[in-house]
Amino acid sequence: MVSAVETLRALHHDRAPGDPLVLPGPWDAASARVFEEAGSPALATPSAGIALSLGYEDGQVPPDEMFAAVARITRAVSVPVTMDAEAGYGLGAGELVDRLLEAGAVGCNLEDSSGGKGAEALRDPREQADWLAEVREAAGERLVINARVDTFVRGVTDPERAVERARLYVAAGADCVYPILAPVEAIPVLRAGIEGPLNVVARPGGPSLRELGELGATRITFGPGLLHRTMSALRGIADELTWA
């Protein structure tokens, strides 16, 4: 029988151009069930979406609450779930892997910046690669590791800087790399320079999912975008109510 992590890893490979892996981002058990029932083969929790659903700012959720929220999601669905583990919560590689697996996650995002503003918040890429290698060693093949590259979100616009980091992370054992908020015009450059699966975030008003795949995206996620759309719809419903 194929395990959940084997299923998730296989979904990243042998994809035709224009047919990227689309991973909706649930923020609670109810939204996870909706996405599964709609046919999603796997799910990717967004830390910002879960933070909003729990009443926190992004990056401010206590780790125990984040892992508990993800555990509620994984218990609610039968498809593989990968967790946005932010920068790892200061946990050692072994403890982080244990907490992810205990929550039922079979994959994780790990970002290469924390705190601060601008480029100074970026971690040294070789130190980050060493950290990813530790996580890979602790996890073995039990987790699909998605290494987030934060250059664009931190104001470093040259795609070659993202490529340099991504190559180090792939060499360290990452299954996929995620140059978050990469501009559309940078995607072909990233695809040409990075070996293996490439995660791109879909944004309102941007290219379609198929178009992103044709540009070079292997995997598409949404961050908290689907929760924001849901909240917009909910505001419309609320506006229609007659308050006593």
Side-chain angles (χ1 to χ4, degrees):
M1 182 176 178
V2 178
S3 68
V5 68
E6 290 172 329
T7 297
L8 180 61
R9 185 170 284 116
L11 286 169
H12 287 74
H13 296 281
D14 299 322
R15 305 204 68 88
D19 181 33
L21 171 61
V22 178
L23 297 179
W27 52 92
D28 60 12
S31 59
R33 284 177 174 153
V34 168
F35 294 137
E36 181 183 30
E37 290 166 1
S40 299
L43 303 171
T45 68
S47 63
I50 289 179
L52 184 58
S53 74
L54 294 176
Y56 291 95
E57 296 294 325
D58 186 21
Q60 300 303 309
V61 181
D64 286 350
E65 289 196 47
M66 183 65 78
F67 284 112
V70 172
R72 289 191 290 272
I73 288 170
T74 63
R75 286 196 299 268
V77 296
S78 60
V79 296
V81 176
T82 178
M83 173 183 174
D84 183 350
E86 302 180 80
Y89 307 112
L91 301 173
E95 185 178 359
L96 174 62
V97 169
D98 288 345
R99 295 293 300 272
L100 286 162
L101 295 173
E102 287 169 4
V106 293
C108 63
N109 281 10
L110 291 172
E111 58 199 52
D112 64 355
S113 70
S114 60
K117 295 182 179 180
E120 67 272 13
L122 289 165
R123 189 175 186 190
D124 178 272
R126 294 191 180 278
E127 291 181 1
Q128 180 70 3
D130 288 344
W131 158 244
L132 291 171
E134 291 178 18
V135 176
R136 170 54 70 207
E137 183 177 6
E141 295 301 309
R142 295 178 295 171
L143 289 174
V144 173
I145 299 174
N146 189 32
R148 205 177 90 173
V149 179
D150 285 2
T151 51
F152 294 107
V153 77
R154 295 298 183 175
V156 180
T157 59
D158 183 355
E160 291 299 335
R161 302 290 78 78
V163 168
E164 291 169 2
R165 287 175 172 265
R167 286 175 173 168
L168 288 171
Y169 302 163
V170 170
D175 295 279
C176 183
V177 291
Y178 178 20
I180 188 171
L181 298 187
V184 172
E185 61 271 17
I187 297 174
V189 178
L190 298 169
R191 177 69 288 162
I194 298 171
E195 182 179 354
L198 176 66
N199 189 163
V200 172
V201 65
R203 291 187 277 181
S208 69
L209 304 182
R210 178 176 294 277
E211 288 168 337
L212 289 173
E214 291 171 345
L215 287 169
T218 309
R219 159 175 161 164
I220 295 175
T221 51
F222 302 85
L226 300 178
L227 174 54
H228 290 157
R229 290 177 61 181
T230 300
M231 291 177 66
S232 179
L234 190 58
R235 289 188 188 100
I237 294 172
D239 288 343
E240 294 173 1
L241 300 178
T242 300
W243 299 100

